[in-house]
Amino acid sequence: MVKTLPKVDVVTVGVGWTGGIIAAECAKAGLKVVGLERGQKRGTSDYQQIHDEYRYAIRYDLMQDLSRETITFRNNRKMKALPMRQLGSFLLGEGLGGSGTHWNGQTFRFLPYDFQIKTMTEKKYGKNKLSADYLIQDWGLTYDELEPYFDTFEKTTGISGDGKNKHGGKRSNPYPTPAMKTTPLLKKFEKASGKLGYSPYMMPSANLSEPYKNPDGEQINACQYCGFCERFGCEYGAKTSPEITVVPTATKTGNFEPRFHANVVEVVKKGNKVTGVKYIDTISGEEFIQPADVVVLTSYVMNNAKLLMVSNIGEMYDPTTGKGTLGRNYCYQILPGASGFFDEQYNTFMGAGALGMCFDDLNGDNFDHSDLKFIHGANVALTQTGTRPIGTNPILPDTPTWGAEFKKQSIENFTRSLGVGGQGASMPHKENYLSLDNVYKDSYGVPLLQMTYNFTDQDKALHKHISKKCGDILKEMGAKTVVVNSDLDQYNIVPYQSTHNTGGTVMSLTPEEGVVNNYLQHWDVDNLFVVGAGNFSNNSGYNPTGTVGALSYRCAEGIIKYSKKGGSLA
């Protein structure tokens, strides 16, 4: 028996960064908001004993339970898609804060080029720079239009930075807090990259350099450089996350109720409106309908797309005909780079998730691509995130991965190896997309999401070019041995790579090009909003969180406008 609950103004599906921002802004505006989170409640007091590498970094204690729900994967349409039975290439968060709890805190703004990538590329290089198989398109929103929302997100999160990125878009304000410590390692990278003609700057960080109180009155503490950021929660409350910022802000209004162990399985639609969502209490097994005037999908990229698909909202993408937009433009990220082995030792075991020096001279269209077989590039960095003993075993090529020689090299190189790498941009391709699996279902009887994805010629050319540049930097830094990353072949979903998945519910200027408008309002259903990295029509050479945060504030503004007047905001 499904129980129908009292109606609210807004219901969000997920309480991470996107759901937390929507909840805070809408609750402050007087709207009654319910946030449905399929995971558990948690906070900084739960992280006091969290420096357990095996439990959290190896066994993924904070991540999604794949025994209940997962995705199926194949490299191409000729293959049979099979379910991921344990986490591999990317790590999906679960619980209050979502992936915003276990992130590293690297917080960039996408480049102006990203938002108008089709127009700018064609203007400079012509229409045939990439084949028609690449589905690049403008976002329907420019950097300048999004800049005020970037500014708001950075003030809410207290981002630490030096403002020295000469290739970034114009800023209305400096970073709220100064950059993190420039360690001897980072100075070494700064000197070498500067000598090679690049323009290094300190990485913008949500691991704060000093205590900070944000405009909503929430306190964020100073980073202790303990080296336990990625895959861990921060017991110091120094890595900005939703559970110490936007969620408390929303709760203090009295207009927000977070509801845990609530797994949404359907968006309920009647005519051209949605009326709420159906969810299952994952502890009791009870089913509920939560009615709402506005439904906001604020879960991860894949779940947002899946919920639209299983609810029959929008036209699913068909790679054969090219018709449909739901599931199209799925992008990942590639990781070009190189490793350097040195004679001297460095304090590599101390650090923070976003402690790093980087440059953008090889990112976006900041260098000439005329004679290159790819567009875009990568933010190149040396990060000092803290090497941990179980997961860090730097060895030279051709060394056995077990035994005496493996142990000897692991110990020798633990403090003598450094990596310089890039986050390579990913362009949408007609054969890379999300759909529903017609065989496998989750534990609630709902079809699994199916991912069809492989590296493209664009990816391979970009990866090779940037990896060589990273090797050059390590040589300049004085490495005795430099090992450049191998060329890309087939995408393998088994080893961890990056949790920077994007696309599937892209934003666009017209209904024919995407799923939502530039307020993240669904083109077909005006009281449904979908916000997250799924809105990106391409992936950049950066971490996505800063841009996701900005889009969330834009979306919240749209929801508040809609609550007063209704109708399409486009």
Side-chain angles (χ1 to χ4, degrees):
M1 183 73 178
V2 180
K3 181 179 179 181
T4 300
L5 302 169
K7 188 178 182 182
V8 295
D9 297 315
V10 178
V11 61
T12 73
V13 180
V15 188
W17 272 125
T18 52
I21 289 170
I22 300 299
E25 295 306 295
C26 290
K28 286 191 292 184
L31 298 175
K32 295 292 184 181
V33 184
V34 164
L36 300 176
E37 169 58 52
R38 64 181 168 190
Q40 63 182 323
K41 182 179 181 181
R42 62 190 179 197
T44 53
S45 62
D46 300 313
Y47 306 140
Q48 295 301 315
Q49 306 298 327
I50 208 161
H51 289 189
D52 183 338
E53 183 184 1
Y54 187 74
R55 178 179 174 184
Y56 294 100
I58 307 301
R59 291 301 185 192
Y60 305 143
D61 196 68
L62 293 178
M63 312 307 173
Q64 184 174 312
D65 180 359
L66 298 195
S67 69
R68 294 191 175 197
E69 182 177 354
T70 185
I71 69 166
T72 66
F73 166 74
R74 59 187 183 178
N75 284 119
N76 58 66
R77 285 189 274 165
K78 295 180 181 179
M79 294 175 64
K80 177 179 174 59
L82 296 173
M84 287 182 70
R85 298 195 182 275
Q86 63 184 36
L87 290 166
S89 183
F90 38 82
L91 304 179
L92 308 179
E94 186 171 273
L96 181 63
S99 297
T101 294
H102 69 79
W103 71 319
N104 259 335
Q106 299 171 14
T107 313
F108 295 90
R109 300 178 173 195
F110 277 17
L111 296 166
Y113 174 68
D114 285 302
F115 299 97
Q116 296 174 285
I117 190 167
K118 182 177 174 64
T119 297
M120 290 185 176
T121 299
E122 291 182 353
K123 182 178 180 180
K124 188 170 181 179
Y125 303 108
K127 292 186 177 182
N128 298 319
K129 179 62 178 173
L130 292 182
S131 77
D133 289 344
Y134 293 91
L135 308 177
I136 61 168
Q137 64 184 64
D138 293 347
W139 287 34
L141 191 69
T142 66
Y143 171 87
D144 289 340
E145 289 173 315
L146 198 58
E147 198 282 333
Y149 307 98
F150 276 121
D151 186 64
T152 300
F153 182 68
E154 290 171 354
K155 287 175 179 173
T156 298
T157 50
I159 301 303
S160 297
D162 62 13
K164 294 181 180 179
N165 179 12
K166 72 176 188 178
H167 294 295
K170 292 181 180 179
R171 301 179 57 88
S172 55
N173 288 293
Y175 287 103
T177 53
M180 301 185 80
K181 296 180 184 296
T182 307
T183 66
L185 267 181
L186 301 187
K187 289 177 182 177
K188 192 176 184 74
F189 173 84
E190 182 180 31
K191 181 179 178 181
S193 57
K195 191 172 180 180
L196 291 173
Y198 302 123
S199 308
Y201 63 95
M202 283 296 288
M203 183 173 286
S205 171
N207 324 129
L208 300 201
S209 61
E210 63 184 27
Y212 173 77
K213 184 172 285 189
N214 78 9
D216 292 315
E218 310 301 345
Q219 181 67 42
I220 310 168
N221 296 322
C223 180
Q224 305 298 304
Y225 298 91
C226 72
F228 285 80
C229 286
E230 184 185 20
R231 308 183 187 185
F232 300 84
C234 180
E235 73 268 39
Y236 304 112
K239 179 177 69 174
T240 308
S241 58
E243 60 265 42
I244 65 168
T245 53
V246 289
V247 172
T249 296
T251 303
K252 288 173 185 176
T253 66
N255 292 327
F256 174 58
E257 179 196 349
R259 205 172 291 159
F260 301 100
H261 306 290
N263 188 72
V264 176
V265 294
E266 182 185 353
V267 180
V268 183
K269 184 172 178 283
K270 185 176 181 180
N272 62 353
K273 300 281 188 183
V274 292
T275 59
V277 297
K278 178 182 178 182
Y279 74 91
I280 297 172
D281 185 309
T282 59
I283 295 177
S284 69
E286 294 177 278
E287 297 184 359
F288 298 91
I289 297 289
Q290 177 58 66
D293 290 326
V294 173
V295 173
V296 194
L297 302 187
T298 58
S299 57
Y300 196 66
V301 169
M302 297 162 190
N303 197 55
N304 279 354
K306 175 183 173 178
L307 282 174
L308 292 177
M309 291 174 186
V310 298
S311 305
N312 295 312
I313 299 174
E315 183 180 358
M316 289 177 60
Y317 170 66
D318 182 342
T320 301
T321 65
K323 293 182 179 180
T325 57
L326 178 56
R328 197 188 68 192
N329 284 52
Y330 171 75
C331 294
Y332 193 40
Q333 226 168 24
I334 58 173
L335 300 176
S339 300
F341 295 82
F342 294 78
D343 287 323
E344 63 266 44
Q345 293 194 71
Y346 300 99
N347 185 0
T348 56
F349 48 85
M350 293 292 286
L355 177 61
M357 183 78 72
C358 60
F359 61 79
D360 281 320
D361 303 81
L362 298 175
N363 200 5
D365 196 42
N366 297 329
F367 60 107
D368 187 24
H369 291 72
S370 298
D371 297 325
L372 300 173
K373 296 180 179 180
F374 65 91
I375 63 171
H376 217 301
N379 173 267
V380 175
L382 186 147
T383 55
Q384 191 171 344
T385 60
T387 54
R388 298 182 291 267
I390 300 176
T392 308
N393 294 284
I395 56 176
L396 291 165
D398 301 323
T399 303
T401 54
W402 61 279
E405 184 62 23
F406 168 76
K407 293 177 182 178
K408 179 183 176 181
Q409 283 205 29
S410 293
I411 294 169
E412 171 71 14
N413 296 319
F414 185 71
T415 55
R416 293 181 174 87
S417 64
L418 303 173
V420 171
Q423 296 193 83
S426 177
M427 297 300 108
H429 190 276
K430 72 182 185 70
E431 294 295 337
N432 292 336
Y433 63 98
L434 305 175
S435 57
L436 284 181
D437 195 277
N438 59 10
V439 176
Y440 294 98
K441 296 183 179 181
D442 63 25
S443 61
Y444 311 104
V446 180
L448 295 185
L449 188 78
Q450 182 181 91
M451 176 193 294
T452 305
Y453 177 75
N454 209 350
F455 294 132
T456 65
D457 290 341
Q458 148 84 23
D459 295 326
K460 294 173 183 178
L462 192 159
H463 183 276
K464 186 171 186 175
H465 183 84
I466 301 295
S467 291
K468 181 182 181 302
K469 302 291 185 182
C470 293
D472 293 341
I473 295 168
L474 283 163
K475 290 176 186 175
E476 186 64 38
M477 290 175 68
K480 66 177 180 179
T481 303
V482 173
V483 180
V484 175
N485 288 5
S486 300
D487 291 351
L488 288 183
D489 188 20
Q490 304 293 309
Y491 169 66
N492 183 352
I493 202 168
V494 175
Y496 181 75
Q497 289 156 74
S498 170
T499 310
H500 300 165
N501 314 76
T502 67
T505 57
V506 298
M507 173 175 61
S508 62
L509 268 177
T510 68
E512 292 74 31
E513 295 178 304
V515 174
V516 295
N517 64 30
N518 62 25
Y519 276 103
L520 298 315
Q521 180 187 37
H522 200 282
W523 281 113
D524 299 336
V525 186
D526 64 17
N527 66 332
L528 173 63
F529 292 75
V530 186
V531 60
N535 303 136
F536 302 178
S537 64
N538 59 275
N539 206 352
S540 184
Y542 288 131
N543 305 67
T545 307
T547 302
V548 169
L551 289 177
S552 299
Y553 278 104
R554 169 81 173 181
C555 180
E557 182 182 288
I559 293 166
I560 294 167
K561 285 183 178 180
Y562 180 84
S563 70
K564 296 175 181 178
K565 295 183 179 179
S568 175
L569 300 170

